[in-house]
Amino acid sequence: MAATTTAQAPADAQRAASRPVGLTILTVFTALMLLVATYMAFIYAPTERTMGAVQRIFYFHVGAAWAGALAFLVTAIAGVVYLITGKRSWDIVGHSSVEVGLALVTITLTSGPIWAQFAWGKPWTWDPKLTSAAVMWLSYAAYLMLRQGLDDPARRARFGAVYGIVAFASVIMTYFGVRFIEATIHPVVVGSSAGTGEGDFGLATRMVHAMVFSFITFTFVYATLLWHRIRLERLSDRVARLKAHFFSQSG
Amino acid sequence: MTLEAEKQRPAIHPAARRPTSLFRAAAAIVWKDLRAEWRSKETVSAMLVFALLAIMVFSFALEFDRTGREASSAGVLWATLVFAGTLGLGRSLGREKDQGCLDGLLLTPVDRSALYFGKLAGNFIFMGVVALILLPVMSVLFDVSFFRPLIVPALILGILGYAGVGTLIASMSIYTRGREVLLPILLLPIALSILIPAVRATRGLLEGIPFDELLVWFNMLAATNVIYIALAYMLFDFVVEE
């Protein structure tokens, strides 16, 4: 048993350490898409009539918000699957998705107030969308702190799964809770509801192109970062295994 | 126990062989918590003193005038309850862990959810007692009458939801390093969806807004309760699993 392990180890290590071709292709492709998305947001899309150039924030703002919410949905689903199957890979997916999602929501939360300062005259309101985005950020920051505070890997995985599910439910409910307080002033650009927002704007065809492209781009950004992050976690697992193996032999 | 003693032991009554029902097991845990609390009076007194201090802090930090006091008394009540509740939740679960009682409870042949519902009920009662004492105190200090019949369902639903999700979160935070710090961090973002409708409903009642208009908040409180307690019921097994 020990002999086969040592014989396999170098080949195995080679395979695990080298980056998969698919990931390299995806990374390059996503970088290109980001370049195109930047072009579309800044040059291709026409300047909005009343708000001017600041409206261009919107393309990345909305794209990142969508991908962030998707990331947390993935965490909740991965949590459910982990609790059923108990497979470490689902724990890795859930954890990695939170880290990527948190970065994406940070983009949304920083770009939003810049836009709002111009459109609403103040950077922040307690609007449903803003509140739930802020709660989302805080909940998943807490998720990472929870994981950090636990030493036992199995417990860390279980608690992460449980908290990921509860946090997702709470974000949805916070959104609905605040929505009852008053009509949203956040522009409703996507969807059929009548615009009650301040700073609502209709989208010209080219704006729609830029927006849809930004959605797709950020989905790719999310997928790429997630893959990198999962791979990193796998490698760190591997290092831990090799260390344990090494010390058990030399000890 | 020797074989001899085994033989001499009276036959076990058939009823005792039956698995304990969920309700009876949960009731036993509540009873245990209440008796321990009755003897030590540690948790509720700490929550209460903390709550009174919080009210002091709020009234000086916010420098209320008359209208300000009326408008924000519902918010002060709930913020105080939530902070005091966090204190109680941390103690209630932390004590089980420290004394090794949690392991003992997990070894008993009852459903794990009995443990959850038992702790939930205990925490609900502790927070309820604090709320009952806070109401007259705040009515006097803030010169606002909290004694309206509908405030009771608002308090019950709000506290139940908070204790419901709080019991689940606290049973995770007790395993972490620096658990006292982590509990509010984990709990408060989740509890916001209970706090929002609870504050709105209470404030509406204090301002004398008719019930029809406040119904949406009560509905939301009820819905949040159902979702959180159902989730916690399903997930609690995984939290205490060894």
Side-chain angles (χ1 to χ4, degrees), chain A residues 83 135 139 142 145-146 148-151 155 158-159 162-163 165-167 169-170 173-174 177-178 180-181, chain B residues 168-169 172 175-177 182 185-186 189-190 192-193 196 200 217 220 224 227-228 231 235 238-239 241-242:
Chain A
L83 291 180
V135 171
S139 307
M145 296 180 81
L146 170 66
Q148 219 162 36
L150 291 160
D151 294 321
R155 182 168 283 144
R158 264 187 291 126
F159 286 14
V162 168
Y163 197 75
I165 296 167
V166 177
S170 103
M173 283 191 287
T174 309
V178 196
F180 285 127
I181 294 180
Chain B
L168 177 75
I169 303 281
M172 292 200 280
Y175 288 99
T176 59
R177 266 179 274 119
L182 216 49
I185 294 176
L186 294 173
I190 309 285
L192 211 60
S193 47
I196 292 166
R200 286 283 156 160
W217 300 114
M220 207 192 134
T224 320
I227 293 173
Y228 274 155
L231 266 181
L235 295 172
F238 296 107
V239 170
E241 177 183 291
E242 278 305 317

Side-chain angles (χ1 to χ4, degrees), chain A residues 30-47:
Chain A
T30 306
L32 286 175
M33 279 192 84
L34 260 178
L35 276 179
V36 178
T38 312
Y39 165 79
M40 287 184 95
F42 283 103
I43 296 156
Y44 176 83
T47 305

Side-chain angles (χ1 to χ4, degrees), chain B residues 136-167:
Chain B
V137 171
M138 280 195 66
S139 296
V140 172
L141 291 180
F142 284 70
D143 198 17
V144 177
S145 177
F146 279 91
F147 294 99
R148 291 156 205 265
L150 282 170
I151 215 127
V152 175
L155 276 173
I156 289 179
L157 285 174
I159 294 177
L160 185 64
Y162 188 75
V165 71
T167 304

Side-chain angles (χ1 to χ4, degrees), chain A residues 19-33:
Chain A
R19 181 178 297 166
V21 185
L23 181 56
T24 313
I25 295 171
L26 185 66
T27 309
V28 172
F29 183 70
T30 306
L32 286 175
M33 279 192 84

Side-chain angles (χ1 to χ4, degrees), chain B residues 32-95:
Chain B
K32 166 192 85 69
D33 277 2
L34 288 183
R35 276 215 307 213
E37 182 58 29
W38 184 253
R39 285 178 193 159
S40 68
K41 298 177 187 68
E42 264 179 350
T43 310
V44 170
S45 60
M47 286 167 80
L48 200 61
V49 173
F50 179 80
L52 293 175
L53 283 170
I55 290 176
M56 297 272 289
V57 170
F58 275 121
S59 49
F60 286 110
L62 300 175
E63 293 265 357
F64 291 132
D65 54 9
R66 199 189 146 67
T67 48
R69 258 202 321 261
E70 280 182 353
S72 44
S73 48
V76 170
L77 172 72
W78 277 106
T80 305
L81 264 179
V82 158
F83 290 139
T86 313
L87 219 64
L89 284 165
R91 274 203 70 84
S92 136
L93 274 302
R95 197 158 52 183

